Amino acid sequence: MFGYLRQKDVILTLTKYEFKLRYRGTIFGVAWSLFAPFLLAIVLYLVFRNIFAFVENFALYVLIGIFVFRFFSVATSVGMHSIISKSHIVTKTNLRREIIPLTTTVSYSISSFLEIMIILPIILFFGVKVGPSILIIPLVHASYLIFVFGMNLILSALMVYFRDLNQIWEIFLNVLFFLSPIVYPKSIIPPEYLSIYMLNPITKFIELYRGILLRDEFYIDEFLIATLISVMVFLLGQIVFARMQKRFGEVL
Amino acid sequence: MIRLENVSKKFRMPSEKRYTLFEEIVSFITGKRDYTEFWALRNVNLSVGKGKVVGITGPNGSGKSTLLKIIAGVIYPDEGKVKVSGRVTPILELGVGFNPELSAIENVYLYGVIMGMNKKEVERKVEEIFRFAELEKFKYMKLKNYSSGMYARLAFATAIATEPEILLIDEVLAVGDVNFQGKCIAKIKELKENGTTMVVVSHSVDLLREVCDKIYCLNNGIISADDGN
């Protein structure tokens, strides 16, 4: 069932060309893709800075929140189309189908990792001391990747049968943006709702990145819980995908 | 080795194609499920021994491609058993995964790994692929500047280079000019000599007679041996 994860030549080659094609012929390609999230971060910072003045380094707080959330929102919005947009590979070859959402997820996780590396100098510029815990970021990112891949397995399979899923997902992402501690601190959530609020795995990832980048702290127990959730989402995705892919060949 | 036992495949043809969640919910609530069923294959038995070449012919819509897709594992049968042992390379269409924005050589890598080669194998065979396709001079040209004949030749050369144990070919031998078609058939015969099991679908019975050990005919999803008339 998981044998495809060992086909690293196909996965890497497809990822490489997907990555290459995304930034093809545009010198400012990467810069353009960063423009929107930076602008959003600045606007949200200006709007909320007086309300949440007590949050330390609020500008960076918002910036990190936005970039961590962005991996999930961009990778799933694109990833959910991965199967239908490569339908010819599904209907005309015997390539393991999980590889298609996997390469999209991996290529966006690389983009996201680079984005976080790009904001690193900004963090240093604001006088935050980044410590050795930064070496754990690849590990956190890998855990996040597993979570996003699990979601993409489910979404890309559902998308084959329900073509309006992207509309629903867009609304869902908007709601999720405000259900995650991106522009506000977690402390404003009423304690009685906190346990429900914390079910959102994105929250865990945002806090892990912020801990590492702003306070040089790594919450190992939170990391283990987040990874456990990621693995469970991945297993669920694998089961859903394996069931739904049986009729891909006819429906696409 | 390929063995099919009593394989049947049913397709649903919705009278109205439903694609959205909203439509699905509406039809679920109203209990309306309007599609007509259609048996693309009925009780197909087929056995292809190792190293044998089997041809399948028949009119349009008789189920030839469906049969090949079932052997390839792209679609699953509703009834019956399918047993395929060995590495399968299905060539159901040429150049699946080709990207016009990439150069020819990049596309060979891309298509090669999709067809089941690993990177080392592609590296080893890339010269041979371009030589076979007679496109050595155009290795670094973007694929969008290729003519359709060049495109098909490159795709065929790459697909055939996978050295499969089982090769499935759907109507793709008629690519390129007469000269190249001759090369394709020669290549098929060479693979046959080397013990590759093959299922070839074609409208051209003459072509099938040239390369196949046995020819079957499909008619409305029912298979029968072609006794050569």
Side-chain angles (χ1 to χ4, degrees), chain A residues 87-227:
Chain A
S87 58
H88 50 295
I89 292 182
V90 175
T91 57
K92 306 282 181 185
T93 74
N94 55 358
L95 183 77
R96 271 297 289 266
R97 290 158 177 172
E98 288 91 340
I99 290 175
I100 300 170
L102 178 61
T103 56
T104 305
T105 313
V106 172
S107 81
Y108 276 94
S109 87
I110 297 168
S111 291
S112 165
F113 187 76
L114 295 177
E115 284 173 11
I116 289 165
M117 290 302 108
I118 286 170
I119 62 173
L120 201 58
I122 302 170
I123 294 168
L124 293 170
F125 177 79
F126 276 90
V128 175
K129 281 203 203 76
V130 175
S133 67
I134 193 158
L135 297 172
I136 299 170
I137 284 202
L139 211 59
V140 177
H141 212 66
S143 174
Y144 198 6
L145 165 73
I146 295 169
F147 172 68
V148 175
F149 177 46
M151 291 302 299
N152 271 341
L153 280 174
I154 299 169
L155 291 168
S156 63
L158 283 173
M159 189 74 181
V160 173
Y161 302 98
F162 309 115
R163 299 293 169 103
D164 52 355
L165 189 66
N166 59 331
Q167 315 277 347
I168 301 164
W169 192 246
E170 210 173 298
I171 298 166
F172 175 79
L173 284 176
N174 275 322
V175 175
L176 193 68
F177 184 87
F178 289 101
L179 284 179
S180 312
I182 296 167
V183 292
Y184 56 81
K186 208 173 68 184
S187 58
I188 69 159
I189 304 296
E192 61 266 38
Y193 297 120
L194 199 62
S195 56
I196 301 169
Y197 180 83
M198 286 306 290
L199 289 176
N200 172 9
I202 314 278
T203 302
K204 292 221 179 337
F205 285 111
I206 291 175
E207 299 214 309
L208 281 167
Y209 282 98
R210 275 193 191 132
I212 291 168
L213 291 170
L214 295 179
R215 290 184 296 277
D216 190 23
E217 283 170 6
F218 176 56
Y219 319 116
I220 182 117
D221 44 344
E222 287 292 305
F223 172 72
L224 291 177
I225 296 168
T227 306

Side-chain angles (χ1 to χ4, degrees), chain B residues 152-167:
Chain B
R153 266 150 52 199
L154 185 67
F156 186 83
T158 311
I160 213 83
T162 51
E163 288 178 13
E165 289 168 80
I166 298 171
L167 184 65

